[in-house]
Amino acid sequence: MNQGTDATAEKLCCRDVWKIFGKLPGGALGQLRNAPQRQHEIQTLPGCTVAVREADFSVREGELFVIMGLSGSGKSTLMRCLNGLIRPTWGEVFVDGRSLQAISAKQLRRLRQEKMAMVFQHFALLPHRTILDNVALGLELQGVSKKRRRAKALEALELVGLQGWERNHPVELSGGMQQRVGLARALAVDPQILLMDEPFSALDPLIRRQMQDEFLKLAAKVKKTIVFITHDLDEAIRLADRIAMMKDGRIVQMGTPEQIVLEPENDYVEEFVASVSRAKVITARHVMADPRPWTSRREEDPLAVLDRMKKEDLQCVFITDTDRRLLGVLTREEAARKIRGGSAPAGCNGVPAIGPDAPLSEVVEQAASSIHPTPVLDGRGRILGVVTRKRLLQEWKQDLEG
Amino acid sequence: MNGIMEVLTTKIPLGEGVAWLVDTLTTRFSAQFRFVSDMLEGGIQALTWCLSALHPLVFIALCTALAWFIRKSKGVALACALGFLLLLNLGLWESMVQTLALIIAATLLSLTLGIPMGILNAHSRTAYFVTRPLLDLMQTIPAFVYLIPALMFFGLGEVPGVFATVVFAMPPVIRLTCLGIQQVPTERLEAGRAFGANWWQMLLKIEIPSAMPSILMGVNQTIMMALSMVVIAALIGAEGLGASVMRALAVVDVGMGFESGLGIVVLAMLLDRIVRPEKTPDGSS
C-alpha cells in the first residue's frame, strides 16, 4: 500500500532488542551479551525464558506494521518494549530517534502520554467510569481541563461511530463496541503511534471482520503509525503494509504480505502460509500475461491483424493508440466483417478492464462476465497486461495444490 | 536424650517479655497514652452527643433517607425505619446511640489505618510478608488477652473498647483492600501505564476504583466485626447495647437479655444492608 514512502522518516526503531525473563547470577547476562557464541548459549539458559531475541526492525511513519506470531512467540513482549512497559534486557528502542533507554521515567511517561497510545486485547476499560470518562482517560492523565477533554473525547467517540453512548458504562456495550471505546480512548490523545495488542482477537469472527474493515478506513483517515499484533494470518494480510513473522521470540521473516505468502523464506513461514489461500494476496498484476500478442495498433493493417489472430488462435485483440492506451476490442468476426466492408478496425469502446492491484476475486468476477480476456490498465489507461481464463485456471490449480 | 529434652523444655521467657514490654510502655509512655486516650474519648463523646442531640424520629427519618439514597431500594429503607422504631420501642435508644458512636469511631479508625495498610501490602512483598502473621494474630487471639493491657494503657471506659474493637475489626479491611488491588486485571494496569499515569494516578484512578467493590466489602466486614465486639467492650466499661446485655446477665433477666441481644442483631442487620458493596457494573462484586 505504502511502497512509495520508503523515503519517509523512521518513526519507531528496535536495535538488537532482547528480553530475557528470569534470574541469572549477577553479571552473567552482561558477560553473555558480548560472548561470541551467545546465540547458542542463550538457547540453554537454565531457569530463563527468552521472550524476544535480536529484534531488529524499524517502522516508517504512517506505516501499518503487523507483528504476527502464535501465542508465546514474544509478540506482546516486543510490543511492550516499544513503549517501555517492559524494559529490554539488551538493545535499544528508538521513538523518533530518541532512545527509550536513555530518558528518565518522567520523560518516558510524557512520551507515552503524548506520542503513543495502546489498544488492548480485552479492551482494558475501567468499569466504574462512563464511556466518555474512559475515552478521556489519557487526556485526564495529561492534566487537560475537563471541558477540553470532554470535547476531544466526544470527537474521538464520533470517529469510531459511538456518539450517543457517552453516558453508558462499558458493561452495557457489546465486545465490538467496547473495543471501539478502546480505540477511541487511544485516538483521543491524538498520538502519532498506535500500539494495538491483538485488538480484534476477543471478538466474534463476523464482528472481527467488520471491525477490520472499519479500522482500515479509520487508519487511512487518521494517518497514524500503527504497530498491530495478531495471531491471525488472514488479519495480518488484510491489514498490513508490512508483516514481521515471529517464532520463539525471533523475527523469522519481514516483508509485505505478498512477499510473506508468495516468497516464504523458511520452512516455518512456508508451513504457516500454506493454509492461506494465495487468492488473498494475489492481484491482477500477478496473473496477467504479456499484452504484446494481444494488442494491435490502430494503424495496423486489418488484414495483417486478422492473419495474426488466426495464426495464434486469438479470438480477439485489443486496439491501442501509439502510447499503448486501450481504445477498444476487436473480435475475429468483427475484423473479418470490417475487412469485407473496407473500413479499418476501429474497435468499440467500453471494454471492461481492471487495475493492476485488483484482488483476484475481482479479476475472476470480471473474467466471468466477459467472453474476452480481461485487460489490465494502469492509471492512465495504458495496457499493462492481459488476464486470460487459462491463466486464471492455472492459478487456481496452483492454489488448490499449494 | 534427657539433656536435649532439658534444653528444649527450658522455657523461652515469652510471657515475661510481653509483660515487661507492657509494663515499660505503661510507665514510660503514660503521658502519650493519656493523650491518645483523651483525644479518642473526646471524639467519641462528641459523636455520642451529636447523635443523641437529634430527636429519635428525626434520626430515624435521616437514616431511612440515607438507606434510600445509598441502596435505592424501598425494602431496605422500610426495614431501616421499622428496625429503628423497634429499638425505640424496646427502650434501647440511648444504648443504641452509644453503641453506634463506638462503632463509627472504631470503624473510622480501622479504615484510616487499614486501607493504607492494605495498599502498602498490595505493593510491597515485604510488608505483606510481615503483616500477614500479625493479621492472623489480631483476628484469632482471644480478645481478653489484649483487653487487660488495653485497660492498663487507657484506663476504663470507651477508649479501650475502641482499641480492642480496632484490633479485631481492622484485619478484614486490610486483607480485602490488599486483595482487591492485587486482583486488578493486568491489562487495566497496563492501560494506565501505557497512557502515562504516574504512581499516584495509577493508585487513585486505576487501582482504588477497580478495587472498590472489594474495599467496600472490607468496610462492611469491619462494621460487622466491630458490632460483634460491643459486648466484650462492655466488660471494660464501654456503655451501649453490650452494657445492657451485661446488666441483664448479671441479674439473670432472660427477657431483657434477649431484648438487648436482639437490639444488637437489628443494628447489625441494618448497618449491613445499608453499607454493602453494590453489584458492580462489570459483574465482579
Side-chain angles (χ1 to χ4, degrees):
Chain A
M1 218 181 279
N2 276 357
Q3 251 124 32
T5 55
D6 281 288
T8 50
E10 284 179 355
K11 196 77 190 164
L12 258 177
C13 182
C14 274
R15 284 287 157 264
D16 193 22
V17 167
W18 289 71
K19 180 64 198 179
I20 302 174
F21 289 111
K23 274 189 195 149
L24 273 187
L29 279 180
Q31 285 161 21
L32 260 182
R33 175 166 200 188
N34 299 318
Q37 71 286 40
R38 69 172 166 177
Q39 278 291 0
H40 178 71
E41 294 206 0
I42 287 166
Q43 293 287 359
T44 55
L45 280 183
C48 286
T49 315
V50 187
V52 177
R53 297 166 193 269
E54 256 193 320
D56 211 90
F57 63 88
S58 49
V59 182
R60 293 183 289 258
E61 192 162 356
E63 191 175 27
L64 206 170
F65 187 82
V66 172
I67 300 173
M68 143 95 219
L70 299 180
S71 52
S73 62
K75 52 194 193 310
S76 286
T77 308
L78 181 56
M79 173 169 274
R80 281 156 179 73
C81 288
L82 295 180
N83 65 355
L85 285 182
I86 289 177
R87 207 183 162 80
T89 310
W90 304 322
E92 276 188 291
V93 176
F94 296 89
V95 176
D96 278 336
R98 253 168 110 204
S99 166
L100 292 192
Q101 278 62 49
I103 60 178
S104 70
K106 199 173 165 190
Q107 285 170 317
L108 182 61
R109 277 202 299 275
R110 222 177 152 67
L111 188 93
R112 287 180 192 151
Q113 283 176 355
E114 289 168 0
K115 271 208 176 136
M116 33 203 351
M118 197 159 171
V119 179
F120 295 87
Q121 181 175 4
H122 300 289
F123 328 132
L125 303 177
L126 302 175
H128 55 280
R129 288 174 171 234
T130 61
I131 298 302
L132 189 78
D133 287 341
N134 261 296
V135 173
L137 176 73
L139 300 160
E140 194 179 321
L141 296 176
Q142 284 178 21
V144 174
S145 75
K146 200 163 184 180
K147 208 173 133 196
R148 264 196 63 204
R149 67 185 193 236
R150 194 186 147 79
K152 282 189 143 185
L154 280 175
E155 222 172 90
L157 272 176
E158 198 164 326
L159 210 54
V160 298
L162 276 183
Q163 56 272 50
W165 288 89
E166 60 268 12
R167 284 165 187 283
N168 294 73
H169 280 87
V171 72
E172 300 169 90
L173 271 60
S174 69
M177 288 163 94
Q178 289 194 34
Q179 192 55 294
R180 280 181 222 209
V181 177
L183 192 57
R185 174 173 68 181
L187 291 173
V189 294
D190 198 18
Q192 296 165 16
I193 301 166
L194 265 183
L195 302 176
M196 307 186 69
D197 183 9
E198 300 209 32
F200 306 142
S201 300
L203 306 177
D204 295 338
L206 268 177
I207 306 286
R208 192 184 311 162
R209 181 103 191 169
Q210 188 192 339
M211 288 288 284
Q212 287 166 359
D213 288 336
E214 280 176 34
F215 173 66
L216 274 177
K217 274 185 216 146
L218 195 63
K221 199 152 88 187
V222 295
K223 295 195 180 61
K224 309 275 181 209
T225 305
I226 299 166
V227 181
F228 190 107
I229 286 186
T230 182
H231 62 250
D232 176 356
L233 188 58
D234 284 341
E235 184 168 77
I237 289 168
R238 263 168 77 81
L239 301 179
D241 289 330
R242 262 188 324 146
I243 298 175
M245 290 275 282
M246 281 186 86
K247 188 204 174 211
D248 299 337
R250 189 188 307 281
I251 296 179
V252 289
Q253 188 177 354
M254 195 151 58
T256 61
E258 287 86 354
Q259 283 169 340
I260 296 275
V261 175
L262 301 180
E263 305 151 24
E265 280 171 9
N266 48 57
D267 293 348
Y268 179 74
V269 179
E270 197 171 321
E271 201 177 318
F272 214 100
V273 300
S275 61
V276 169
S277 169
R278 291 157 55 87
K280 288 218 164 78
V281 291
I282 288 176
T283 58
R285 194 193 295 277
H286 291 102
V287 288
M288 68 190 186
D290 186 352
R292 270 169 299 182
W294 292 88
T295 50
S296 105
R297 298 261 183 81
R298 183 168 42 179
E299 300 80 18
E300 245 179 293
D301 176 20
L303 263 175
V305 175
L306 186 63
D307 243 23
R308 206 177 77 212
M309 285 161 96
K310 278 180 179 155
K311 202 157 74 198
E312 295 188 21
D313 194 26
L314 303 176
Q315 291 306 311
C316 70
V317 290
F318 296 103
I319 311 293
T320 63
D321 66 8
T322 44
D323 205 19
R324 299 204 296 132
R325 263 195 284 265
L326 180 68
L327 297 171
V329 65
L330 183 73
T331 60
R332 229 198 264 193
E333 296 80 51
E334 273 173 336
R337 215 179 309 135
K338 287 226 166 104
I339 290 161
R340 266 182 264 122
S343 66
C348 50
N349 283 326
V351 188
I354 49 177
D357 292 323
L360 198 59
S361 56
E362 213 173 290
V363 180
V364 170
E365 200 180 314
Q366 194 61 257
S369 65
S370 160
I371 54 162
H372 309 308
T374 310
V376 181
L377 305 183
D378 70 4
R380 288 193 284 167
R382 284 183 309 195
I383 190 158
L384 292 173
V386 173
V387 181
T388 62
R389 288 189 184 190
K390 196 169 148 196
R391 274 306 296 265
L392 276 177
L393 289 173
Q394 276 171 349
E395 190 57 49
W396 187 39
K397 181 162 166 271
Q398 211 173 336
D399 198 13
L400 288 180
E401 285 166 356
Chain B
M1 207 60 184
N2 280 342
I4 296 175
M5 278 313 286
E6 201 167 307
V7 171
L8 286 178
T9 52
T10 308
K11 194 169 164 289
I12 308 166
L14 194 62
E16 287 82 350
V18 173
W20 174 82
L21 187 70
V22 171
D23 266 358
T24 317
L25 285 176
T26 35
T27 48
R28 297 282 292 273
F29 297 94
S30 63
Q32 282 83 348
F33 280 119
R34 176 61 50 82
F35 176 72
V36 173
S37 178
D38 288 350
M39 291 278 289
L40 277 172
E41 185 94 51
I44 297 164
Q45 270 168 6
L47 203 59
T48 317
W49 184 84
C50 284
L51 291 176
S52 41
L54 290 170
H55 188 275
L57 289 181
V58 176
F59 183 93
I60 293 172
L62 283 177
C63 283
T64 308
L66 186 72
W68 169 255
F69 180 76
I70 296 180
R71 311 292 330 169
K72 302 269 184 292
S73 145
K74 276 181 202 148
V76 174
L78 190 70
C80 185
L82 288 178
F84 279 121
L85 284 172
L86 178 68
L87 287 169
L88 184 65
N89 179 269
L90 292 174
L92 293 169
W93 189 260
E94 205 184 329
S95 306
M96 188 279 289
V97 168
Q98 283 163 339
T99 296
L100 197 59
L102 196 78
I103 287 167
I104 291 176
T107 305
L108 286 181
L109 208 58
S110 297
L111 297 186
T112 28
L113 296 173
I115 292 179
M117 279 293 284
I119 291 169
L120 181 69
N121 278 3
H123 285 118
S124 153
R125 284 195 68 85
T126 324
Y128 184 67
F129 196 73
V130 174
T131 317
R132 222 169 35 160
L134 213 61
L135 293 180
D136 293 335
L137 181 90
M138 286 161 75
Q139 282 190 300
T140 49
I141 200 164
F144 300 101
V145 174
Y146 53 84
L147 274 181
I148 314 298
L151 273 177
M152 290 163 77
F153 293 150
F154 302 111
L156 274 175
E158 257 78 36
V159 177
V162 167
F163 173 82
T165 308
V166 168
V167 168
F168 187 61
M170 196 165 60
V173 78
I174 298 181
R175 285 186 205 271
L176 284 161
T177 301
C178 176
L179 185 74
I181 288 182
Q182 281 172 342
Q183 283 180 338
V184 180
T186 320
E187 252 195 1
R188 224 179 273 169
L189 296 176
E190 278 183 333
R193 291 179 62 210
F195 283 95
N198 60 30
W199 193 87
W200 275 110
Q201 287 173 322
M202 283 301 289
L203 186 67
L204 295 179
K205 292 182 195 295
I206 314 277
E207 290 176 335
I208 291 185
S210 292
M212 211 38 157
S214 183
I215 295 176
L216 283 179
M217 187 59 102
V219 174
N220 177 292
Q221 286 301 301
T222 293
I223 295 174
M224 292 300 108
M225 305 282 256
L227 253 169
S228 70
M229 279 297 279
V230 293
V231 178
I232 294 170
L235 280 176
I236 45 173
E239 284 299 321
L241 291 168
S244 304
V245 174
M246 296 304 300
R247 273 196 291 275
L249 285 179
V251 295
V252 203
D253 183 340
V254 177
M256 190 184 142
F258 179 78
E259 284 173 6
S260 309
L262 187 70
I264 296 178
V265 173
V266 169
L267 188 60
M269 283 169 66
L270 292 182
L271 289 178
D272 175 63
R273 299 301 184 274
I274 296 173
V275 189
R276 158 175 288 209
E278 293 177 55
K279 266 197 199 132
T280 48
D282 66 349
S284 64
S285 69

